Amino acid sequence: MRFELEATLTFSDEIEDAKEDVEAIISKANDDLLRRGVPVEVEGGGAQVIDFSVEQDKLSLNIVSDRYVRAHDAVLRLKKAFNQELGPEYHVGVREVKIDQYEIQFELDREAKEDFSLPYVDEIEIDGKNCELNISGLTQEQLSKNYVDRIINRVKEKIEAQYYEGKEEMWELLWKSEEKKMVWEEDPTEAMEEKGWIKRGPTKGKWFYRPEAAKILKTLEDIVIEEVLKPLGFQEIIESMMVPFDVWIDTGHMEGIPNEAYYISEPTTRNPEEWEEIIDEIKITKDVPLEKLDEMTETPKAGICYAQCPVIYWSFRNETISDDSLPVLLYENTVPSTRYESGGRHGIERVDEFHRIEPVYIGTKEQLVELKEKLLERYKHVFEDVLDIEWRMAKVEPFYLQQAGGKKKEEEADLGTVDFEAYLPYKGARGESEWLEFGNLSIFRKYTDAFNIKSQTEKLLSGCTGIGIERWAIAFLAQKGLEPKDWPGKFRSYLGDMPEGIELL
Amino acid sequence: MRFELEATLTFSDEIEDAKEDVEAIISKANDDLLRRGVPVEVEGGGAQVIDFSVEQDKLSLNIVSDRYVRAHDAVLRLKKAFNQELGPEYHVGVREVKIDQYEIQFELDREAKEDFSLPYVDEIEIDGKNCELNISGLTQEQLSKNYVDRIINRVKEKIEAQYYEGKEEMWELLWKSEEKKMVWEEDPTEAMEEKGWIKRGPTKGKWFYRPEAAKILKTLEDIVIEEVLKPLGFQEIIESMMVPFDVWIDTGHMEGIPNEAYYISEPTTRNPEEWEEIIDEIKITKDVPLEKLDEMTETPKAGICYAQCPVIYWSFRNETISDDSLPVLLYENTVPSTRYESGGRHGIERVDEFHRIEPVYIGTKEQLVELKEKLLERYKHVFEDVLDIEWRMAKVEPFYLQQAGGKKKEEEADLGTVDFEAYLPYKGARGESEWLEFGNLSIFRKYTDAFNIKSQTEKLLSGCTGIGIERWAIAFLAQKGLEPKDWPGKFRSYLGDMPEGIELL
């Protein structure tokens, strides 16, 4: 790794008189200050000012360094030294640090398959495993905020992604139920739409669930709560559906799914007088003047719930949880989730707005590994004894891990994610058709770190298990049909009577 | 009422040769076409072309009219006549109708208290009860879409609003409960925040309800469902939380509360490649570049649920409901509602995101008046026997009706809105402090009209009764405190045990 930096320090006054002192400070720094932090076994390591010049109030520096004292850190160390040592005598201080040119060379793990660009980087030159970046125009603030490291990481990540592109998720069968008798082979969404149980919603990818369908969804919720969550001691919480970007930055959603989020835009003002003109326009035209509305609404600073766990983690940010309360077992069943899906007509198993019960757990590794087994047992009970469906469990590797480096991957391997999949007879034969992922269960290290959630004693991990009610409904209905007489007794006892519905002519 | 219009009709070719025929058509129209629709008893009524001129392909018209054939309708009638009568001989047709100047005079019900402006109107001159509007630049399409009538209505509405400004809502006590013993005089929000039952949410005006508070809210939901909705036969539906503007235009929300809505902004594309740059930026800066995000998100075309009824009405748009299904009794208890509230710190009774069960009913007037009595009876039962709170009912006149004209007002008077209000001891003495509106019940004519919802036989009305769970909670807790031992037995039996909660250090 090699860094070469050209920077200009602007002082509060002329420093030509101080040129000799400047030279002395640099010379001393080259021997000491710019080598601090370098491991003893690395000879000649650190940063070195290899050239400098003084003109009026400006000091130009040319710094070369290795990984141990990166050149952009060296320039900040030097700034401090000049302030301390020139200040008392010459009454000057550094007003501005300007990066004129920054050249960074480092080695890649793999060769890049194709070129790419990055913000803040003027040029990326990759030759085999050698990478050279040219950067100009970063401010001192950006340097001290660690932009350079993140730029280097992003280069490596992008190359890594080039290798994963198009590759399938890792998938490993853990368990599968017996084959079961299927009641029919219809697509439940189409059949329910025909019967008037559901109606396509007023905007893309949403549904209106009339009483019959709503009853089925709510019955599944009851089953989850009574058969899975209450027996294990989960407590319900209620969160806001609006997630500010800082929370999504901490969970990684902001960089992971910005293209799939629904965003929230607030009015620029609540003052009715300032809305009078747009109201006049709406009253006269019976239409919304979008350009004016654009002016009256803010750029989004929050999105609508994508998964419920981020806000639950946020609620514990920087908190220390009493050992008596561990493992923390919570679930959220109030806010709808949204995902901006691609166009086309899908069934209720793939929608832009859906309903998920999201249990979240925080505890020690032992507690969570034990909980995982208990959860799997309760799920198995529900799928087998209450819903009586044909399903299987698989170990999968989520997308973000595929892009992660080697060490991170290893660390997570013993925790990981389990998917629940159901056979959908309307999609074709068992062995040939895609099964529906209708639930999952994960344990993570990253969220307790990202939100700084601590216990009194041990390191905490966390996890969640998404229970998408529409997907449970499709898993069930695709196998069991729409006639209550074909549904298992235990399900029917949760259901009670089907509602009468509304007859439309 | 007097309309004077100057318009230019541009033909597909020169019409100077046809000048005599043009004059003949106008003369005939003045006697007949432009008087059609005028009541027989009105002598000399209708529109008249008082001047015209022909130059090349253009015909300029000066039309004066009364209310019976408004000048802008007259010009459209004339256009048709010219096409029919000049077309065959001269092979020309009207290509464009341009309104050069439109002067409208009409009488107001009341004098304006101050000046105002309107889109599409160049000048509004009000002298006592006489109003004169000058309009230029309306297109033919805008004329035929009825902009002129809506402009006149808006003038009247704005003047009416000047008289209502600052006036209080009509309020009339219908019934009040006995005085009850108050357990404490604390603000429940503050007390719950101190106990850690609730936490201010990650964005303005939202709350995070920890297990204790969530349990109270969910218990109130259960009580509503079991004690009010199920006994009366209400069926649950599930709607989308996203409401497109056309639905809000039909309900009047778009013009009524645009300053209080939370808006939804979709990604301009779901293609991850097009989001790569913004993702790079987020990864490098750990911040969201708002300007780039603004480019990647659409101007809102929908808002988040403000009340649940609009989407329920939408689900019946243009439908005929079978008499067997009347009255339709539905409720929505899934989507959260949002209101962009003004700043400042409020309790959970005034928030930007809250939870409401919204029962909606559609039926004949007789059915709904009967239902109203039954609902009031069930509410009374809950407030008295289950929650045991001190409350009262009042007849109120909603804001939109205060702005409505005399006839509309009379029509609605027998239906109207009932508010439920609870005494909040922490706000002061019974007679002196503001009580909390914690629910309401209304019957309307307008929604079945706006959405064209019909029965097989009779005209349908509709109504709704908002059950704001946070407000119910405050009404209850402000009087009964936070100690389960002080809560009524019937409430406690719905509650079961209070959850243990999570201990944070």
Side-chain angles (χ1 to χ4, degrees):
Chain A
M1 221 166 197
R2 183 180 186 276
F3 298 83
E4 181 167 355
L5 176 72
E6 282 171 36
T8 305
L9 275 55
T10 306
F11 286 78
S12 52
D13 205 343
E14 290 213 358
I15 52 160
E16 299 208 349
D17 292 349
K19 199 173 169 183
E20 277 177 28
D21 283 321
V22 166
E23 185 162 10
I25 293 166
I26 288 173
S27 170
K28 207 173 73 179
N30 273 347
D31 288 340
D32 177 27
L33 183 67
L34 301 185
R35 293 195 188 278
R36 283 185 204 160
V38 179
V40 282
E41 68 274 16
V42 180
E43 213 173 309
Q48 292 288 288
V49 178
I50 58 168
D51 196 14
F52 79 96
S53 64
V54 169
E55 200 186 328
Q56 292 182 339
D57 59 347
K58 290 189 167 51
L59 166 62
S60 300
L61 293 170
N62 190 343
I63 303 172
V64 170
S65 82
D66 59 18
R67 73 168 66 194
Y68 301 108
V69 181
R70 286 142 335 153
H72 61 276
D73 291 326
V75 81
L76 299 179
R77 289 189 191 179
L78 284 167
K79 175 190 166 188
K80 211 171 158 189
F82 290 128
N83 281 340
Q84 277 170 357
E85 301 190 29
L86 297 180
E89 193 178 336
Y90 300 93
H91 306 290
V92 291
V94 178
R95 280 285 159 84
E96 196 198 343
V97 176
K98 194 170 158 289
I99 308 305
D100 302 310
Q101 193 55 243
Y102 202 1
E103 196 183 290
I104 301 165
Q105 289 172 27
F106 59 98
E107 207 172 312
L108 300 167
D109 296 330
R110 315 207 206 190
E111 295 183 17
K113 291 184 169 181
E114 53 186 279
D115 292 344
F116 53 89
S117 62
L118 272 181
Y120 305 103
V121 182
D122 302 321
E123 215 184 339
I124 303 176
E125 248 180 85
I126 295 177
D127 182 14
K129 288 190 177 178
N130 292 315
C131 180
E132 186 178 319
L133 307 180
N134 278 289
I135 297 171
S136 66
L138 278 187
T139 64
Q140 182 191 334
E141 201 201 340
Q142 290 168 333
L143 288 179
S144 55
K145 272 191 182 163
N146 227 10
Y147 280 26
V148 171
D149 286 339
R150 297 205 201 108
I151 287 170
I152 294 171
N153 285 340
R154 187 66 179 137
V155 167
K156 292 178 176 172
E157 222 175 43
K158 284 201 166 201
I159 292 169
E160 205 65 17
Q162 291 177 351
Y163 284 86
Y164 282 107
E165 216 159 85
K167 287 217 177 150
E168 293 204 359
E169 228 184 24
M170 189 278 280
W171 186 95
E172 190 189 314
L173 182 68
L174 292 177
W175 185 90
K176 68 175 180 178
S177 75
E178 282 175 27
E179 281 198 11
K180 299 196 177 161
K181 199 178 154 282
M182 299 293 136
V183 165
W184 69 339
E185 293 187 352
E186 305 279 313
D187 179 341
T189 300
E190 284 173 15
M192 285 194 289
E193 202 177 356
E194 231 161 77
K195 286 168 87 81
W197 289 10
I198 56 176
K199 174 180 164 71
R200 279 181 195 276
T203 61
K204 173 184 91 72
K206 290 106 195 170
W207 291 87
F208 185 89
Y209 298 92
R210 292 221 176 87
E212 300 89 340
K215 186 77 185 265
I216 294 169
L217 297 183
K218 295 289 173 177
T219 298
L220 289 168
E221 284 184 11
D222 288 346
I223 290 169
V224 170
I225 293 166
E226 296 300 326
E227 301 285 340
V228 180
L229 301 176
K230 280 192 183 167
L232 295 178
F234 278 84
Q235 305 185 73
E236 183 166 13
I237 55 90
I238 299 173
E239 68 178 34
S240 165
M241 71 164 129
M242 303 198 200
V243 189
F245 292 161
D246 67 306
V247 173
W248 272 354
I249 281 179
D250 282 350
T251 56
H253 284 86
M254 200 71 231
E255 58 187 55
I257 50 89
N259 57 324
E260 290 179 28
Y262 272 92
Y263 293 94
I264 289 162
S265 178
E266 297 181 0
T268 54
T269 169
R270 194 175 178 275
N271 178 1
E273 276 171 35
E274 294 182 55
W275 284 84
E276 184 85 1
E277 197 183 322
I278 208 169
I279 290 172
D280 289 341
E281 182 104 15
I282 293 166
K283 289 208 174 212
I284 291 169
T285 65
K286 292 284 162 196
D287 207 344
V288 179
L290 292 183
E291 245 174 71
K292 276 187 194 157
L293 183 72
D294 204 31
E295 283 167 29
M296 297 299 288
T297 51
E298 302 270 7
T299 298
K301 293 180 195 71
I304 300 180
C305 174
Y306 183 87
Q308 288 115 306
C309 60
V311 174
I312 296 181
Y313 292 124
W314 162 87
S315 81
F316 287 104
R317 192 186 260 167
N318 298 326
E319 296 282 5
T320 302
I321 301 169
S322 160
D323 281 352
D324 293 342
S325 289
L326 292 177
V328 167
L329 304 175
L330 299 175
Y331 72 96
E332 215 289 339
N333 184 30
T334 298
V335 300
S337 294
T338 60
R339 298 198 173 180
Y340 188 73
E341 290 283 0
S342 51
R345 287 165 83 85
H346 305 288
I348 66 165
E349 76 283 359
R350 183 163 169 206
V351 281
D352 281 47
E353 182 179 340
F354 58 98
H355 305 91
R356 185 208 298 104
I357 301 181
E358 185 151 9
V360 169
Y361 27 89
I362 302 173
T364 64
K365 186 172 169 183
E366 292 64 39
Q367 287 171 337
L368 298 197
V369 168
E370 192 193 326
L371 175 71
K372 179 177 171 179
E373 291 313 310
K374 284 190 198 163
L375 271 166
L376 290 179
E377 194 184 289
R378 296 310 302 175
Y379 277 130
K380 200 166 179 175
H381 157 67
V382 170
F383 303 151
E384 291 290 314
D385 307 335
V386 184
L387 303 182
D388 186 30
I389 54 172
E390 186 172 336
W391 66 290
R392 67 190 180 197
M393 272 192 278
K395 188 170 174 173
V396 297
E397 195 155 272
F399 186 68
Y400 82 91
L401 265 188
Q402 293 192 6
Q403 297 201 333
K407 186 163 165 271
K408 193 169 171 193
K409 212 159 152 170
E410 263 172 51
E411 264 187 5
E412 300 278 333
D414 54 335
L415 305 174
T417 294
V418 174
D419 269 3
F420 307 124
E421 300 179 348
Y423 171 49
L424 300 182
Y426 73 91
K427 289 221 164 173
R430 278 181 182 80
E432 292 154 27
S433 71
E434 204 189 324
W435 288 37
L436 177 70
E437 193 234 300
F438 70 103
N440 56 51
L441 189 161
S442 303
I443 300 178
F444 308 107
R445 285 176 198 280
K446 60 178 182 175
Y447 294 124
T448 40
D449 285 346
F451 289 88
N452 187 30
I453 303 170
K454 303 168 297 289
S455 83
Q456 296 168 276
T457 47
E458 274 186 76
K459 179 167 170 44
L460 297 179
L461 307 186
S462 73
C464 61
T465 171
I467 299 164
I469 299 299
E470 281 86 349
R471 293 207 162 184
W472 278 48
I474 289 299
F476 179 71
L477 299 173
Q479 297 189 15
K480 303 291 175 194
L482 299 185
E483 293 295 334
K485 69 171 174 43
D486 296 327
W487 297 345
K490 193 108 202 249
F491 178 87
R492 281 219 309 275
S493 70
Y494 272 102
L495 178 82
D497 293 323
M498 277 293 273
E500 276 182 23
I502 310 292
E503 197 187 348
L504 301 177
L505 303 176
Chain B
M1 221 165 195
R2 183 178 186 276
F3 298 82
E4 180 165 357
L5 177 73
E6 282 172 36
T8 307
L9 276 52
T10 306
F11 286 78
S12 52
D13 206 343
E14 290 213 0
I15 51 160
E16 298 207 350
D17 291 350
K19 200 173 166 180
E20 276 177 28
D21 282 322
V22 167
E23 185 163 8
I25 293 166
I26 287 174
S27 170
K28 207 172 74 179
N30 273 346
D31 290 338
D32 177 26
L33 183 66
L34 301 185
R35 294 193 188 277
R36 285 185 203 160
V38 179
V40 282
E41 67 274 17
V42 180
E43 210 173 308
Q48 292 289 289
V49 177
I50 57 168
D51 195 13
F52 78 95
S53 65
V54 169
E55 199 186 329
Q56 291 180 342
D57 58 347
K58 290 189 167 49
L59 166 63
S60 299
L61 292 170
N62 189 346
I63 305 173
V64 170
S65 82
D66 59 19
R67 73 169 62 196
Y68 301 108
V69 181
R70 284 136 344 143
H72 62 275
D73 290 326
V75 80
L76 299 178
R77 288 189 191 179
L78 284 166
K79 175 190 164 188
K80 210 171 159 189
F82 289 128
N83 281 340
Q84 277 170 357
E85 300 190 30
L86 298 180
E89 192 177 339
Y90 299 94
H91 305 291
V92 292
V94 178
R95 280 283 159 87
E96 196 200 341
V97 177
K98 195 170 156 291
I99 307 306
D100 302 310
Q101 192 56 244
Y102 201 2
E103 196 185 290
I104 302 165
Q105 289 171 27
F106 58 97
E107 208 173 314
L108 300 168
D109 296 329
R110 315 208 207 190
E111 294 184 18
K113 291 182 169 185
E114 53 187 279
D115 290 346
F116 53 88
S117 63
L118 272 182
Y120 305 103
V121 182
D122 303 320
E123 217 184 339
I124 304 176
E125 249 182 86
I126 297 177
D127 182 14
K129 288 191 176 179
N130 292 317
C131 179
E132 186 178 319
L133 306 180
N134 277 290
I135 297 171
S136 66
L138 278 187
T139 64
Q140 182 191 333
E141 202 200 341
Q142 290 168 334
L143 287 179
S144 55
K145 272 191 182 165
N146 226 10
Y147 280 26
V148 170
D149 285 338
R150 297 205 202 108
I151 288 170
I152 294 171
N153 284 340
R154 188 66 180 137
V155 167
K156 292 179 177 172
E157 220 173 46
K158 284 200 168 204
I159 293 170
E160 204 65 17
Q162 292 177 349
Y163 284 85
Y164 281 107
E165 216 160 86
K167 286 217 179 151
E168 292 202 1
E169 230 186 23
M170 188 277 280
W171 187 93
E172 189 188 316
L173 182 69
L174 292 177
W175 185 88
K176 69 175 176 177
S177 74
E178 282 175 27
E179 280 197 14
K180 299 199 177 159
K181 198 178 153 285
M182 299 294 134
V183 165
W184 68 340
E185 292 188 351
E186 305 279 312
D187 178 341
T189 300
E190 285 173 16
M192 285 195 287
E193 202 178 357
E194 234 161 74
K195 286 167 86 83
W197 290 9
I198 57 177
K199 175 182 163 72
R200 279 179 196 277
T203 60
K204 173 184 91 72
K206 291 105 195 171
W207 291 88
F208 185 89
Y209 299 91
R210 291 223 177 87
E212 300 88 340
K215 186 77 184 263
I216 294 169
L217 298 184
K218 294 290 172 176
T219 299
L220 288 169
E221 283 184 12
D222 288 347
I223 290 169
V224 170
I225 293 166
E226 296 300 326
E227 301 285 340
V228 180
L229 301 176
K230 279 193 185 167
L232 295 179
F234 277 84
Q235 305 185 73
E236 183 167 13
I237 55 90
I238 300 173
E239 68 178 35
S240 165
M241 70 164 130
M242 304 197 199
V243 189
F245 292 161
D246 67 307
V247 173
W248 273 353
I249 281 179
D250 282 350
T251 57
H253 285 86
M254 201 69 231
E255 58 186 54
I257 50 89
N259 58 324
E260 290 179 28
Y262 272 91
Y263 292 94
I264 289 162
S265 175
E266 297 182 0
T268 52
T269 168
R270 195 176 178 274
N271 178 3
E273 276 170 36
E274 294 182 56
W275 283 83
E276 185 84 1
E277 198 185 322
I278 207 168
I279 291 172
D280 289 341
E281 182 106 12
I282 293 166
K283 290 210 175 211
I284 292 169
T285 65
K286 292 285 164 194
D287 208 346
V288 180
L290 293 182
E291 246 174 69
K292 276 188 195 156
L293 183 72
D294 203 32
E295 282 167 29
M296 296 300 288
T297 50
E298 302 270 7
T299 297
K301 293 181 195 71
I304 300 179
C305 174
Y306 183 88
Q308 288 115 304
C309 59
V311 174
I312 296 181
Y313 291 124
W314 162 86
S315 81
F316 288 104
R317 192 186 261 165
N318 298 327
E319 297 282 6
T320 302
I321 301 169
S322 158
D323 282 351
D324 294 342
S325 289
L326 292 177
V328 167
L329 304 175
L330 299 175
Y331 72 96
E332 215 289 339
N333 183 29
T334 298
V335 299
S337 293
T338 60
R339 296 196 176 183
Y340 188 74
E341 290 282 359
S342 51
R345 287 165 82 85
H346 305 287
I348 66 165
E349 76 283 359
R350 182 161 171 209
V351 281
D352 281 47
E353 181 178 339
F354 58 98
H355 305 89
R356 185 206 299 103
I357 301 180
E358 185 150 9
V360 169
Y361 26 89
I362 302 173
T364 63
K365 185 173 173 184
E366 291 65 36
Q367 287 170 336
L368 297 197
V369 168
E370 191 193 327
L371 175 72
K372 179 178 172 179
E373 291 313 311
K374 284 189 199 163
L375 271 166
L376 290 179
E377 192 185 290
R378 296 310 300 175
Y379 277 129
K380 200 166 179 175
H381 157 66
V382 170
F383 303 150
E384 292 290 315
D385 307 335
V386 184
L387 303 182
D388 186 31
I389 53 172
E390 186 172 335
W391 65 291
R392 66 190 181 197
M393 272 193 277
K395 188 170 177 175
V396 297
E397 194 155 272
F399 185 69
Y400 81 91
L401 263 189
Q402 294 192 5
Q403 298 202 335
K407 183 159 169 272
K408 194 170 172 191
K409 215 158 150 169
E410 261 172 55
E411 264 186 4
E412 300 279 331
D414 54 336
L415 306 172
T417 292
V418 174
D419 270 3
F420 307 124
E421 300 180 347
Y423 171 49
L424 300 182
Y426 73 90
K427 290 220 164 172
R430 281 181 180 79
E432 292 154 27
S433 71
E434 202 189 325
W435 289 35
L436 177 70
E437 193 232 304
F438 70 104
N440 56 51
L441 189 162
S442 304
I443 299 177
F444 308 107
R445 285 176 199 280
K446 60 179 181 175
Y447 294 125
T448 40
D449 285 346
F451 288 89
N452 187 28
I453 303 169
K454 303 169 296 291
S455 82
Q456 296 168 276
T457 46
E458 274 185 77
K459 180 165 170 45
L460 296 180
L461 307 186
S462 73
C464 60
T465 170
I467 300 164
I469 298 300
E470 281 86 349
R471 294 207 161 184
W472 278 48
I474 289 299
F476 179 70
L477 299 173
Q479 298 189 13
K480 302 292 175 193
L482 300 185
E483 293 296 333
K485 68 172 173 45
D486 296 326
W487 296 345
K490 192 109 203 248
F491 179 85
R492 282 219 309 275
S493 71
Y494 271 103
L495 178 82
D497 293 322
M498 276 294 271
E500 276 182 24
I502 311 292
E503 197 188 347
L504 300 176
L505 303 175

